[in-house]
């Protein structure tokens, strides 16, 4: 059984594949952009995560003929009216990288004091089948922005984001940014982890797999 994850972001694909395996879909072969014939990448023209995730999943399902999942995600900063939002990957310009994006956000809120430095990561996962069934799920991770980047894990804005939902630590230990969390610690609390776990019952039903307590039974699908 194959499903297609429509993303060309290698780090996002790795996270999505890892979380899908953890929630019990290890037997499903997950294809990424490099595993399917090239097709024109659709423009992300919508102003909602749902709209853009559906654009990407529809294009993937039409091109591959496979059940397709696509994620649209971003960082919503309260002091910036919830921007960069759907423009997160291109905030400093189309030709700029993750570091330029996060440095621009830090400059834009340089005079904003806690607790007003609040932000949230949002991930919307769209599922589209070749015969036209469509649905979306949403996960959010609220937190606070730091004054400087810390940690080399994750990607994007992870080094400047401290989740409100911190993984357990010894008493008195400092709060950690997403960039200082292990992959498993981030997956357990992340917006993407929540969106995927919410999609599992639908995916399991489409793949005709029984689900018990969020786990799909019968490893080899
Ligand atoms: P998309 O590929 O159009 O959905 O853009 C997603 C962008 O949002 C990424 O390029 C990052 O800048 C940001 N982003 C989304 N999820 C995360 C995350 O888990 N950590 C850090 N940055 C993220």
């Amino acid at each position: 059984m194959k499903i297609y994850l429509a993303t060309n972001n290698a780090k996002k694909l790795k996270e999505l594949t890892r979380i899908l395996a953890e929630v019990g879909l290890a037997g499903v072969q997950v294809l990424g952009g490099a595993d399917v014939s090239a097709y024109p990448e659709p423009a992300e023209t919508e102003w909602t995560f749902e709209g853009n995730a559906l654009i990407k999943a529809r294009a993937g399902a039409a091109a591959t003929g496979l059940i397709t999942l696509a994620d649209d995600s971003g960082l919503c900063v309260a002091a910036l009216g919830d921007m960069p939002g759907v423009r997160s990957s291109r905030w400093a310009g189309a030709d700029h990288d993750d570091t330029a994006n996060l440095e621009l956000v830090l400059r834009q809120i340089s005079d904003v004091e806690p607790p007003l430095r609040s932000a949230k990561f949002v991930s919307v996962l769209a599922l589209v089948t070749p015969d036209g069934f469509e649905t979306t799920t949403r996960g959010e991770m609220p937190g606070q922005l730091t004054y400087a980047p810390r940690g080399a894990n994750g990607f994007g804005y992870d080094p400047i984001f401290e989740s409100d939902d911190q993984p357990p630590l010894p008493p008195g230990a400092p709060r950690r940014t997403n960039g200082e969390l292990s992959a498993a610690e981030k997956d357990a609390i992340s917006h993407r982890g929540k969106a995927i776990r919410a999609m599992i019952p639908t995916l399991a039903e489409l793949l005709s797999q029984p689900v018990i307590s969020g786990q799909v039974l019968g490893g080899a699908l």
Side-chain angles (χ1 to χ4, degrees), residues 5-17:
L5 273 181
T7 177
N8 288 318
N9 179 330
K11 293 192 172 172
K12 240 199 223 182
L13 178 66
K14 200 169 162 189
E15 253 189 44
L16 287 161
T17 310

Side-chain angles (χ1 to χ4, degrees), residues 138-156:
R138 173 182 270 250
E140 299 190 356
M141 174 165 51
Q144 307 295 319
L145 295 180
T146 60
Y147 286 91
R150 296 198 317 270
N153 299 337
F155 67 99

Side-chain angles (χ1 to χ4, degrees), residues 78-148:
L80 298 178
D82 272 354
M83 297 305 279
V86 294
R87 297 290 175 252
S88 292
S89 64
R90 305 177 289 283
W91 193 233
D95 52 347
H96 288 71
D97 62 7
D98 284 352
T99 306
N101 287 335
L102 70 80
E103 283 175 350
L104 178 55
V105 167
L106 288 182
R107 282 201 302 280
Q108 288 172 322
I109 61 162
S110 59
D111 59 347
V112 178
E113 301 288 336
L116 297 178
R117 295 178 73 86
S118 62
K120 65 182 177 186
F121 275 120
V122 175
S123 165
V124 169
L125 195 63
L127 182 151
V128 172
T129 68
D131 57 3
F133 171 78
E134 298 185 345
T135 189
T136 61
T137 55
R138 173 182 270 250
E140 299 190 356
M141 174 165 51
Q144 307 295 319
L145 295 180
T146 60
Y147 286 91

Side-chain angles (χ1 to χ4, degrees), residues 12 44 72-74 88-89 121 155-158 186 191-192:
K12 240 199 223 182
E44 296 177 34
D72 197 61
S73 51
S88 292
S89 64
F121 275 120
F155 67 99
Y157 300 88
D158 278 336
K186 182 181 169 189
H191 47 315
R192 200 162 290 105

